[in-house]
Amino acid sequence: RTLSNENGPRGAPWNVLCYYAEEISVRVPLQAVTTPISIWSEKILEKLHIPNIMAQDVPNLPPDYYTCQFRSNKLERFLGHENKDTFFKTTQRHQILYEILARTPYGSLKRGEVGIGRLVSEHVLTAAFPLHEGPFEMPKTPVDPQSLNMRQILHHYWARWACWRKYQPLDHIREYFGEKIALYFAWLGFYTGWLLPAAVVGFIIFLFGIWLMVTDVAAEELCTSGDTFVMCPLCNICRYWNLSSICYTYKAGLLFDNGGTVFFSIFMSLWAVTFLEYWKRTSSILSHRWDCSEFEEIEERPRPEFTALAPMTVRNPVTGAEEPYFPETQRLSRTLTGNMVIILMIAIVLIFLIAIILYRTILSIIIYRSQNGFFIFSAGRIASLTGSMLNLLVILLLSRLYTYLAQILTRWEMHRTQTKYEDAFILKVFIFQFVNFYSSPVYIAFFKGRFVGYPGKYNTLLGIRNEDCGASGCLIELAQELLVIMVGKQVISNIQEFVLPKLKAWWHRRKLKPAPSQEVIDEPDSEPGLSPWEANYQLLVCEGLFDEYLEMVLQFGFITIFVAACPLAPLFALINNWVEVRLDAQKFVCEYRRPVVERAQDIGIWLTILKFISYLAVITNAFLIAFTSDFLPRLFYRYTTGGMRGYVNFTLSVAPANYTQSHMTCRYRGLKDDKGQPTQDYYHLLAIRLSFVIIFEHVVLLIGRIIDWMVPDIPEEVEIKVKREHYMAKEALAENQSLSRTVLEEMERQISELRHRGRTQSAMNDISSPEQEDKPTV
């Protein structure tokens, strides 16, 4: 049976639509909202009298209404109830029909044989999807913009590359794709806009680093030292080398390791807190405007699969309705099993990390033995760069494997609602991905080079000398690792999002090709002779928003947790996100089948994860500046000596006398005496570093809490609108409303009669006794 066509679903009778609309808490309009929608940047530009190049006039703006939950016995109190064909929106009809199909059993309930999703997964049906509203290409002849279908509007005013600097038509996206997808694009656009000031400040800090490359006294001292500083060999078979040979590498390290990074770390920590606070305000505005502000607490229904497989029912304490129930003890045991799998996978990640560490060390030894002068000079950088690329490959492969396992485990845990199901799945995958993506940068930032030992007493791992930082320090290696992982992943992801959908679509159409002589053209929607459902079937299956959110949240972690090592990270993130918005828009409008509408109150557990990352970033950057950067040693030396002359010599120690590899005296990085023991300056500097961590963390978190307190989560105007909507819903759904009106009219009639009688009696009294004083009547 055909459930939908270009004009919207028509497969369900009116009484069925009404029954399920009440069952799934569909919200319908009570009264139009007349307050215009305003954007803060528009207001600022208007006050400054600056033309707004981001504004555009998008036709067919969906109207905004005060709404309440649908009740079939109160139908006449809702706007538009006279026209049954247009009373429920197209997306609401999609929701109702999908709810029916998802609940319907086709076999044994014990085996979970219920719902159209299971039929598609078992290949009984090839696909189930709502139709797009016609083609997305603009008509060849000029037409009135108001006559365009919603898909054409979204393509022309949103998905094209020419719209890169325009506001996103969020209300149109919500009208066509639903609240969940619209909230994702709202968050992505909001995040991209907030990246602009972070990218500008980071670029200024980078320019400051370039200036330091030319003017830094310590860099000049190192580059002109010649044979003054002879360094100990970096491995057991390596040779002595001059510190002056790393002049350019040392200067390059100043791009990422300078005093400006301290300011930038504080700035980015406060930026992250402020960004999240203002996103919560924006989210509350959108969730109320899109009728989802009470979705998770009251309106969200149990998942169809949960409804079919739950062994018992209990009464919902909020709604009072009987709902399916799965015992918490059984779910807890399944959750613990899932956690064991997470721990196992994290252990595998750490094993691969150790393997990559050993790979870098062994590759350096092989290169040193090659007797090739060029490769020997660059052995450390070659091993570090190839190790980073190998680490990226391992990360991507393990990510795919674990995501598949997490889906199976989360489905097995039997979560009641779709929100809880997605939150559990997201949390599992994020914990793994967090370790997967950040383990290598954390190792370089905080562990690499800390357990090397000193000449004559080097520490080993599996018989191999522990890995040390490069001659120019660990921070430039950390910056390299971040750029390889973050930028490399972004480039690979964008290439996949641009190329793979087109290849998949081509292959999909090739498989569906009915005859060898028939040509396959680029746009299946315009292919003659195909019915709408056949043209839509040639499009790709929408894979959801999980991968999109995960990519952005991991990016957020890179630009906040390790921002002290790479001030250019926000700039690369900004460029990537400008591309990401258009790529995602094109996928949803042009290349994906239309997904079933899903409602959402906010971005879910992703917001909690972002808060965790923002707090972790404060602590991480404090330790990064204190223990990995040269900022505090430079500050300490400048304070104790009054200048930077001799700083290079201050950071180097002399190898112990029992170091018998050669009679030549050599130096190594560290504050130690001739016996390999820490000097007094080492302990002074350690105290300064620990004090800096405590002060930095407390000051930044305190300012963050003040910002949190100053910015309310819900604007005052939204609170007023919520109260107004609750009042209107209460009036509309009151059982005694009709009786109240009748009683009120009767009371007014009786009062009117009493007043009339009073006036008549008063007039008669005046006639009968004119000398009597006037008395008031009631």
Side-chain angles (χ1 to χ4, degrees):
R1 185 178 182 181
T2 301
L3 296 179
S4 59
N5 58 32
E6 292 184 5
N7 297 319
R10 296 288 184 268
W14 171 253
N15 60 339
V16 174
L17 289 174
C18 289
Y19 173 80
Y20 277 96
E22 192 167 343
E23 182 76 7
I24 65 174
S25 303
V26 168
R27 298 184 72 91
V28 289
L30 288 170
Q31 179 182 319
V33 177
T34 56
T35 307
I37 299 171
S38 60
I39 303 174
W40 64 270
S41 57
E42 258 184 341
K43 292 180 180 178
I44 294 175
L45 293 173
E46 186 178 352
K47 287 181 180 179
L48 297 175
H49 303 288
I50 299 175
N52 189 0
I53 62 173
M54 297 177 287
Q56 60 177 341
D57 185 17
V58 184
N60 298 336
L61 178 67
D64 190 15
Y65 296 105
Y66 290 111
T67 63
C68 73
Q69 294 183 22
F70 175 76
R71 294 290 182 269
S72 55
N73 59 347
K74 302 292 189 297
L75 180 62
E76 71 281 356
R77 299 177 190 173
F78 302 121
L79 287 181
H81 66 273
E82 302 87 1
N83 190 340
K84 295 181 178 180
D85 289 336
T86 59
F87 179 69
F88 291 113
K89 296 187 297 184
T90 302
T91 51
Q92 290 175 335
R93 291 172 177 261
H94 289 171
Q95 286 179 276
I96 292 170
L97 290 172
Y98 179 76
E99 184 73 15
I100 297 172
L101 295 172
R103 288 187 185 188
T104 305
Y106 62 88
S108 172
L109 291 178
K110 292 183 179 180
R111 293 194 297 271
E113 295 175 343
V114 60
I116 197 168
R118 182 74 178 264
L119 288 171
V120 173
S121 65
E122 293 179 351
H123 305 293
V124 177
L125 299 176
T126 55
F129 53 88
L131 295 183
H132 279 293
E133 296 181 3
F136 63 83
E137 303 96 336
M138 293 290 286
K140 295 181 180 178
T141 57
V143 295
D144 181 12
Q146 302 292 332
S147 65
L148 298 174
N149 66 49
M150 189 63 76
R151 193 181 182 197
Q152 290 171 327
I153 290 173
L154 288 175
H155 179 259
H156 186 74
Y157 294 94
W158 178 47
R160 294 186 306 127
W161 290 102
C163 302
W164 67 272
R165 57 185 175 88
K166 300 295 184 182
Y167 292 128
Q168 296 186 91
L170 295 176
D171 290 301
H172 294 75
I173 299 170
R174 178 249 181 171
E175 187 75 10
Y176 193 73
F177 290 112
E179 292 80 10
K180 192 170 188 177
I181 292 175
L183 273 171
Y184 163 72
F185 282 104
W187 178 82
L188 180 58
F190 188 84
Y191 171 48
T192 303
W194 273 72
L195 278 174
L196 185 59
V200 171
V201 175
F203 187 69
I204 293 173
I205 298 299
F206 183 75
L207 294 179
F208 175 70
I210 294 177
W211 177 75
L212 277 182
M213 288 177 63
V214 181
T215 61
D216 186 66
V217 175
E220 180 187 356
E221 184 181 44
L222 183 144
C223 292
T224 59
S225 62
D227 299 334
T228 305
F229 303 113
V230 178
M231 305 298 292
C232 297
L234 296 175
C235 66
N236 294 333
I237 63 170
C238 301
R239 301 172 182 172
Y240 293 92
W241 55 283
N242 290 323
L243 187 62
S244 58
S245 64
I246 63 162
C247 173
Y248 295 111
T249 309
Y250 186 86
K251 285 187 174 182
L254 294 175
L255 293 173
F256 309 102
D257 187 0
N258 56 69
T261 58
V262 180
F263 164 77
F264 193 50
S265 298
I266 297 174
F267 172 82
M268 286 302 296
S269 298
L270 299 179
W271 172 90
V273 173
T274 310
F275 158 69
L276 293 177
E277 288 303 315
Y278 275 94
W279 164 249
K280 285 191 285 186
R281 285 173 62 86
T282 303
S283 178
S284 67
I285 294 171
L286 293 176
S287 64
H288 177 261
R289 194 165 89 209
W290 295 342
D291 307 321
C292 293
S293 55
E294 298 177 347
F295 173 66
E296 292 181 10
E297 291 85 0
I298 298 175
E299 301 171 19
E300 189 171 17
R301 299 287 301 165
R303 295 167 54 237
E305 186 177 359
F306 177 83
T307 303
L309 298 179
M312 63 183 72
T313 61
V314 296
R315 185 176 297 276
N316 188 316
V318 178
T319 63
E322 285 287 334
E323 291 185 353
Y325 177 75
F326 189 79
E328 289 296 332
T329 53
Q330 295 185 32
R331 182 182 291 116
L332 179 61
S333 62
R334 296 185 179 191
T335 303
L336 290 175
T337 304
N339 291 339
M340 295 303 296
V341 176
I342 295 176
I343 294 172
L344 176 62
M345 292 299 297
I346 289 175
I348 293 175
V349 171
L350 296 179
I351 290 172
F352 274 103
L353 176 62
I354 295 172
I356 291 172
I357 294 170
L358 294 175
Y359 160 82
R360 284 197 290 250
T361 305
I362 294 171
L363 182 63
S364 298
I365 294 173
I366 293 173
I367 293 175
Y368 277 118
R369 285 179 174 173
S370 66
Q371 304 299 321
N372 187 307
F374 172 77
F375 286 112
I376 290 175
F377 179 74
S378 306
R381 273 170 284 177
I382 293 172
S384 179
L385 183 60
T386 56
S388 299
M389 296 174 66
L390 181 62
N391 185 47
L392 176 61
L393 180 62
V394 170
I395 285 172
L396 296 177
L397 292 176
L398 288 178
S399 298
R400 288 188 173 274
L401 171 63
Y402 182 74
T403 302
Y404 175 73
L405 289 175
Q407 286 178 336
I408 297 174
L409 290 170
T410 310
R411 195 179 303 119
W412 182 57
E413 289 172 4
M414 286 290 290
H415 293 280
R416 176 181 170 272
T417 64
Q418 186 66 21
T419 299
K420 290 182 178 179
Y421 172 86
E422 291 179 356
D423 287 351
F425 173 69
I426 290 167
L427 187 60
K428 283 186 183 65
V429 177
F430 176 75
I431 291 173
F432 172 77
Q433 297 285 40
F434 183 85
V435 177
N436 196 16
F437 275 89
Y438 298 142
S439 58
S440 183
V442 165
Y443 163 74
I444 294 174
F446 303 117
F447 298 100
K448 187 176 181 181
R450 308 290 176 189
F451 311 102
V452 177
Y454 55 88
K457 193 177 180 181
Y458 286 113
N459 300 321
T460 60
L461 175 66
L462 302 178
I464 299 175
R465 181 170 146 183
N466 284 355
E467 192 178 25
D468 196 1
C469 293
S472 55
C474 281
L475 207 65
I476 190 171
E477 291 189 35
L478 177 59
Q480 171 190 290
E481 185 80 5
L482 291 176
L483 290 175
V484 169
I485 295 178
M486 188 183 88
V487 179
K489 183 181 183 303
Q490 289 178 350
V491 170
I492 292 172
S493 297
N494 287 334
I495 291 174
Q496 286 178 337
E497 291 184 18
F498 183 76
V499 176
L500 285 185
K502 292 181 172 21
L503 292 177
K504 288 180 180 178
W506 171 81
W507 180 252
H508 188 58
R509 293 197 298 272
R510 188 174 181 273
K511 289 193 298 182
L512 297 174
K513 194 174 181 182
S517 60
Q518 184 176 349
E519 290 187 359
V520 178
I521 65 176
D522 290 336
E523 299 298 340
D525 288 42
S526 60
E527 189 171 343
L530 287 181
S531 58
W533 49 89
E534 290 176 310
N536 278 236
Y537 179 62
Q538 293 187 354
L539 300 176
L540 300 178
V541 178
C542 178
E543 297 175 352
L545 297 171
F546 171 76
D547 289 332
E548 315 297 341
Y549 270 121
L550 181 64
E551 180 183 355
M552 291 297 104
V553 170
L554 289 173
Q555 179 199 89
F556 182 82
F558 280 119
I559 68 168
T560 54
I561 296 177
F562 302 105
V563 72
C566 189
L568 286 181
L571 178 62
F572 289 120
L574 177 64
I575 296 170
N576 173 80
N577 289 7
W578 268 333
V579 176
E580 184 75 23
V581 172
R582 301 307 147 196
L583 284 177
D584 288 347
Q586 288 184 358
K587 285 193 302 183
F588 278 95
V589 174
C590 307
E591 295 167 356
Y592 282 166
R593 297 170 188 166
R594 189 176 182 180
V596 177
V597 168
E598 292 185 65
R599 300 181 69 197
Q601 185 172 331
D602 47 37
I603 63 174
I605 200 172
W606 292 116
L607 182 60
T608 305
I609 292 173
L610 290 170
K611 287 181 181 178
F612 165 75
I613 290 175
S614 67
Y615 290 131
L616 181 64
V618 176
I619 301 171
T620 304
N621 282 296
F623 277 96
L624 199 61
I625 295 169
F627 290 94
T628 307
S629 168
D630 274 347
F631 171 73
L632 290 181
R634 283 171 171 264
L635 201 63
F636 173 74
Y637 186 80
R638 185 188 296 273
Y639 177 78
T640 54
T641 63
M644 290 302 295
R645 287 290 174 187
Y647 174 73
V648 175
N649 183 63
F650 168 74
T651 61
L652 300 177
S653 299
V654 179
N658 60 355
Y659 185 59
T660 57
Q661 184 170 348
S662 173
H663 296 293
M664 182 183 297
T665 301
C666 64
R667 312 291 293 274
Y668 65 98
R669 289 175 63 91
L671 299 176
K672 297 183 180 181
D673 57 22
D674 54 2
K675 296 180 180 180
Q677 299 301 314
T679 63
Q680 191 174 9
D681 286 337
Y682 170 84
Y683 289 109
H684 289 163
L685 193 55
L686 178 62
I688 294 172
R689 283 170 165 162
L690 294 175
S691 301
F692 176 84
V693 169
I694 295 171
I695 295 172
F696 182 94
E697 178 259 337
H698 277 71
V699 169
V700 174
L701 289 181
L702 176 62
I703 298 175
R705 293 299 297 172
I706 293 173
I707 294 172
D708 189 359
W709 174 74
M710 291 177 62
V711 181
D713 292 348
I714 303 176
E716 185 179 358
E717 59 269 21
V718 173
E719 291 181 345
I720 295 173
K721 286 183 178 180
V722 169
K723 292 177 181 178
R724 168 70 176 163
E725 190 169 63
H726 284 174
Y727 170 77
M728 294 178 65
K730 183 179 178 181
E731 290 294 310
L733 301 181
E735 291 292 339
N736 59 345
Q737 187 179 39
S738 299
L739 179 61
S740 299
R741 289 178 178 175
T742 305
V743 171
L744 183 60
E745 292 173 359
E746 181 64 23
M747 289 177 64
E748 290 179 349
R749 186 183 63 80
Q750 291 177 1
I751 291 172
S752 178
E753 288 181 359
L754 287 172
R755 287 176 176 171
H756 177 70
R757 289 176 184 175
R759 286 194 297 269
T760 304
Q761 184 65 33
S762 175
M764 291 178 64
N765 290 338
D766 290 342
I767 294 172
S768 60
S769 54
E771 72 280 0
Q772 187 177 3
E773 293 183 3
D774 291 340
K775 295 181 179 179
T777 59
V778 178

